[in-house]
Structures are given as C-alpha cells and as structure tokens.
Amino acid sequence: MTEVLIVGAGPTGLVLALWLKRLGVAVRIIDRTPEPGTTSRALAVHARTLELYEQMGLAKDVVDRGLQVAAINFWARGHHAARAELAAIGQGLSPFPYFLMFPQDQHERLLIEHLQRAGVEVERRTELVGFEDDGDRVVAHVKCDGVTSPCEVAYIAGCDGGHSKVREVLGIGFPGGTYERFFYVADVELRGPASNHELHVALDDADLLAIFPMKGENAARLVGTVKEVSEEKRQDLTWKDVSQDILERMMLTVEKVHWFSTYRVHHRVADHFGRGRAFLLGDAAHVHSPVGGQGMNTGIGDAINLAWKLAAVLQRRADATFLASYEPERIAFARRLVNTTDRAFTFASRDGALARYVRVDAMPLLMPRLMARASVKRYLFRTVSQTLIRYRGGPLAEGRAGRVRGGDRLPWVPADGGGEADNFAPLTSLDWQVHVYGEASAELTASCARRGLPLHVLPWSPRADEAGLARDAAYLVRPDGYVGIADPAASAATLERYADERGLKFGCDNP
C-alpha cells in the first residue's frame, strides 16, 4: 500500500521520494507533464543541499557533473568594477566550500536515475483531480489517460508548483505580489570577456544582466530585463527583441541561443505549509526572486525536513503531533528569504535617479572594498549556501553548549588527516544519533545503548573548538543533521526526557 502520494516530480518531489524510500516508506510520485524538464531553469546547487545529498550518497554525482564557480564579477555601465574569488570561499565551514552550477534538467534526470534504482518510477501524464482528508487517511483522485481512480494513502505531499492543486484543495492563501518588470532567461553560447566560466553581474542605467556560467565551452545562462511591453506582446518576444546595449558595452557576442523565455517574478509565501494529512513544499509553498539561486535549494530543504518526520510517524517512532514541527521550521525561513531577496531584487531592478546612482555609481566604488574582506566573503558564503539556516526556538530545539544551540545545523569538523572521517560521516545513517567531542560518561553511554541510540564519541580537537562545539557536551543530532539538544552536562536524564516528551523511539525501542 502507498503510504505517501507525492504530487509533482520536480527536484522537491524527487528528493522527497528518494529520502522516504531510503527510510523504508512506500511512495507514489505523479506528474502531469509527459517528460522531465528539458530546459536548465534553476542552476545553483548550494553547499547545504550538497551536505544533505552526501547523506544520501548523491553529492559526488552532482559535483562531478556540475561546474564550480571560480569568481564573481561586477560591472557598471560596461566597465569591470570588481572581482571576488569564490573558489573555496567556505573553506573550513563545509565539505563543499564553493558555489556549484548544475542545470535543473540534468539535475532532475540524475534524481530520476537514483529513484529508478530504488525501484520507484515517476508516473507521467498523471494528475491530481482532488482529495479528501478523512482524518485517519487521505483519499486522492488521480487521473491518467482520461480515467480517474481513487488512491488511498496516509499522507499527501504537494510539490506541484506555484499553481498547486494540493494548495487549492486545502484552500490555503498564497499572499504576496508580482514585480512590475518583465525578465528574460536565455541559455546561449557566449563569446567575450565574460564567457570565462565565472559569474558576472552587470548593472546599468536601464538594464540589469546576470551571466551564469554553465559546463561546456562558452555555455552560459543570461538573465536580464525586458523593455516595457504589454502582457500580450510579451508572449511573442524573441531574443531579437531583447536590448543588446549592455552586451555590446561588455564586448559580448551571443553566437547561438538554445533556449529563450520571458517571465515575471513573483514573491509569495503560503499562509500555512499544510493542514491535516496534506503538506505543501517547494514552489507550492513559497516563490521568490531568483536572487542567490535560493528557490530550488529551499524546496529540497523542505523535502528533507518533512521526509524523516513522515517516516518516523509512519513507523511509529514518533507521535503524529511530531509533524506539526514542519511548518514552523520551514515557514519562518521562507518568510525571511522572501523579504531578503525582495529587498535585493527591488534594489537591483528599480528605476529612479537615486536607485540608478547607488547601483551604477556608488556600488562600483564600494564592491571592491567589500569583496576584498575575508569576513564579507565568508558571510556571503554562509548566507547564500544556506548553511546558516537554523531552527532555534522551534518545537524540537533545546539547550546550548559552546556556541551551538538546539536547532542549529551541526557544525562541520573536518577530518584531521590521520585517517579519521569528518563528523558528518555518521549522518549517512539518516537516523538520530548523539555526538560527544571528547569523552562520554558511563551514564550517557548506558542510556544510549538502552535506547538503541547511536553514540559517536569523536576526539576533541582545535577544529572542534573553532566550530563552536563544547568539550564533553552531548549533542542529540536529528536525521537531517540539525541539533535537537545541545547539553553541556551531557545528562542522560535530559536526553531521555526529550525523547519521551515527543514520543520518540530509537533503534532498540519497541515501535
């Protein structure tokens, strides 16, 4: 019997299916389209996503097929204003200390390959017509080849984009707005100074252009503004209708256009990320500007946050109320993200004398100074890479030990070169575990053994200290690599109370 029906086979739905399948949950994934996407769309795969992929054995494939971005360049009125090295920008902060470009169409094919190996096929030309939540189950109505049939499941996950049918059935609001200006996106073969596999952002009096490098000789993605046209005329625009002025000032030549499209940018967050036995993830829950390449990565984060919680409840290793933690953890980040990218995007695209002055006069003077600072680049990495996402104050977060608090991402401690693995290696179990850096007490060791909770005692080191961990403290780590409890006393009683209050059961506990 299918336990979870996943509606939508973009990256969010595919990752949800993969993680659930890995945890032993029976899934069904449907999509109304006849085939996977054939255009690049989202490009950036950030460090936090790669860390989560490493837990699933996916990271190497993605990194091998992607392109690491060496630098970001800023241009103003056709003049090169600043360049910042990005190679290893996050050194010491993550095992993936760089920005990676990997087109979404290739990304989806890779995820589908791994899902097929796990024995799950995406059901194409299949759409959700509606569903009812009966309290103890969901009855979904699924249409394929004109025939509608019922599908009884425990839970339904809406990964079905901005026009989500799941959200529509739930009647959940999707407030926000739409930016006035139109934008274009084009995958091209490019020649000129900016066709060097680096990221380029060009600010001009009237135009905005971002050039994203892609793997392959002279391959690039262009995103820019479109001249003012009506909605009707926009549908007929081609590459020839795009202003070439900014490209000419940068001495760039587009030799071939593989894909061109125009679009409007929206910024919206659903009022709720689910109700009862139905959940919203990815673009069904939040859409925002392309600043920082956050959209797809945020959807993947939604999928993993929900997946291990669904598995725990379905396998009776957590109370059903445990699922209530999904919305507060993810909706808070989505709202912050929309507000942040909205401000950045508005600044970059706004008309007006003051905005133009700041954009093309002040920024070229300021950016070289800012990007020369190591602290600025490290903050940029932490922010864009999503390694700063945390769930402090959430229902599953408790305590503080060192600089690490409950709800924080477990800080990465690199291997010391002596043959030991890094502290992320145990996370491949996709299960709860306790980390102690230094020595574990007999009481804690006995409690973990009794509960069937893996205990990893890692050596205390200067690197652990630099990461903000406390010596001999206990960190209860969730299946997604976030800290549940940070306990400086490493108390077995504290650990057991935390588990009992949430109905959590571990390896040797009876489900």
Side-chain angles (χ1 to χ4, degrees):
M1 173 185 170
T2 300
E3 294 174 292
V4 179
L5 174 64
I6 300 169
V7 185
T12 299
L14 292 168
V15 171
L16 178 62
L18 276 167
W19 197 285
L20 285 170
K21 185 65 176 177
R22 170 79 179 272
L23 291 174
V25 175
V27 301
R28 180 181 180 187
I29 179 168
I30 63 174
D31 196 287
R32 63 190 303 174
T33 62
E35 61 182 8
T38 56
T39 53
S40 60
R41 292 168 290 165
L43 279 177
V45 183
H46 292 312
R48 185 62 187 137
T49 299
L50 291 171
E51 291 173 358
L52 294 165
Y53 276 6
E54 181 71 2
Q55 293 183 240
M56 304 165 65
L58 281 172
K60 186 178 186 303
D61 278 353
V62 174
V63 172
D64 287 349
R65 301 187 194 191
L67 172 70
Q68 295 179 33
V69 181
I72 182 171
N73 298 266
F74 295 92
W75 298 68
R77 292 195 178 101
H79 298 289
H80 189 261
R83 180 178 184 273
E85 295 279 351
L86 296 180
I89 188 175
Q91 195 71 47
L93 301 174
S94 170
F96 306 98
Y98 41 75
F99 295 144
L100 187 80
M101 298 294 171
F102 185 45
Q104 185 175 331
D105 54 337
Q106 299 175 37
H107 195 155
E108 288 184 12
R109 287 198 294 271
L110 175 62
L111 294 172
I112 289 168
E113 289 172 16
H114 280 265
L115 195 56
Q116 288 172 333
R117 290 177 204 164
V120 177
E121 292 285 345
V122 176
E123 298 177 43
R124 296 283 173 187
R125 296 185 178 86
T126 305
E127 64 180 303
L128 178 73
V129 176
F131 66 89
E132 296 91 35
D133 183 343
D134 292 342
D136 59 354
R137 63 173 185 166
V138 171
V139 179
H141 306 285
V142 175
K143 184 167 71 173
C144 180
D145 295 330
V147 177
T148 300
S149 57
C151 173
E152 184 177 318
V153 294
Y155 296 96
I156 185 170
C159 307
D160 47 345
H163 300 286
S164 170
K165 184 67 177 181
V166 174
R167 192 182 64 245
E168 176 189 321
V169 173
L170 291 174
I172 290 175
F174 201 34
T178 303
Y179 297 98
E180 291 184 5
R181 298 194 69 174
F182 292 115
F183 295 84
Y184 74 82
V185 57
D187 288 349
V188 305
E189 292 181 17
L190 189 69
R191 290 197 181 274
S195 61
N196 60 351
H197 279 168
E198 295 181 356
L199 178 60
H200 297 262
V201 178
L203 303 172
D204 219 328
D205 289 319
D207 293 332
L208 165 69
L209 176 67
I211 302 173
F212 299 91
M214 298 169 65
K215 205 164 190 176
E217 188 175 357
N218 302 317
R221 152 79 63 84
L222 306 183
V223 176
T225 51
V226 175
K227 60 186 179 182
E228 293 299 325
V229 294
S230 65
E231 180 70 39
E232 295 75 19
K233 291 184 178 180
R234 179 181 71 88
Q235 305 298 328
D236 300 323
L237 290 178
T238 68
W239 172 252
K240 293 179 181 180
D241 298 307
V242 172
S243 171
Q244 305 293 311
D245 292 348
I246 194 168
L247 292 167
E248 291 171 1
R249 282 193 288 275
M250 295 174 67
M251 297 177 289
L252 294 173
T253 302
V254 173
E255 296 193 330
K256 189 173 184 179
V257 178
H258 296 288
W259 173 57
F260 174 83
S261 182
T262 59
Y263 63 100
R264 265 190 160 160
V265 176
H266 305 272
H267 50 101
R268 302 180 183 277
V269 179
D271 288 331
H272 296 284
F273 279 16
R275 185 173 292 139
R277 290 177 170 267
F279 298 90
L280 302 175
L281 304 84
D283 288 353
H286 46 80
V287 294
H288 33 81
S289 86
V291 171
Q294 300 293 297
M296 180 184 67
N297 293 271
T298 304
I300 291 169
D302 294 342
I304 291 172
N305 185 287
L306 180 62
W308 67 269
K309 295 173 182 177
L310 282 173
V313 171
L314 285 165
Q315 295 164 359
R316 299 182 182 178
R317 296 191 178 278
D319 291 339
T321 55
F322 199 69
L323 291 170
S325 66
Y326 168 67
E327 178 176 305
E329 288 190 346
R330 297 305 296 176
I331 202 170
F333 172 67
R335 287 171 174 162
R336 287 196 306 271
L337 179 62
V338 166
N339 289 335
T340 302
T341 58
D342 177 61
R343 288 194 297 269
F345 195 69
T346 299
F347 160 75
S349 60
R350 175 178 289 169
D351 288 326
L354 179 60
R356 287 196 300 272
Y357 169 77
V358 173
R359 192 164 60 237
V360 300
D361 292 310
M363 289 300 290
L365 297 175
L366 185 61
M367 288 307 299
R369 299 176 186 178
L370 287 176
M371 299 309 292
R373 295 173 176 264
S375 59
V376 171
K377 289 195 287 187
R378 286 173 73 82
Y379 180 75
L380 174 67
F381 174 81
R382 286 180 182 273
T383 303
V384 175
S385 69
Q386 300 199 347
T387 55
L388 267 183
I389 292 177
R390 57 197 184 195
Y391 306 129
R392 291 180 180 180
L396 304 184
E398 284 189 21
R400 175 174 181 166
R403 297 195 305 275
V404 179
R405 292 171 56 180
D408 289 356
R409 159 187 167 269
L410 179 70
W412 181 56
V413 180
D416 61 9
E420 295 289 332
D422 67 11
N423 71 324
F424 279 11
L427 301 181
T428 57
S429 68
L430 307 188
D431 205 353
W432 289 89
Q433 55 196 265
V434 174
H435 284 208
V436 174
Y437 298 82
E439 296 183 7
S441 68
E443 177 196 31
L444 182 66
T445 302
S447 175
C448 289
R450 186 169 59 252
R451 293 266 180 164
L453 183 60
L455 171 63
H456 298 279
V457 181
L458 298 102
W460 179 251
S461 67
R463 288 184 171 179
D465 186 38
E466 291 169 10
L469 296 159
R471 189 167 191 166
D472 300 337
Y475 299 92
L476 177 63
V477 183
R478 306 173 357 169
D480 57 357
Y482 288 88
V483 175
I485 294 179
D487 181 14
S491 164
T494 298
L495 179 69
E496 294 186 359
R497 174 195 52 77
Y498 178 96
D500 291 342
E501 286 179 354
R502 293 161 177 82
L504 285 172
K505 298 179 176 63
F506 306 112
C508 293
D509 288 337
N510 293 321

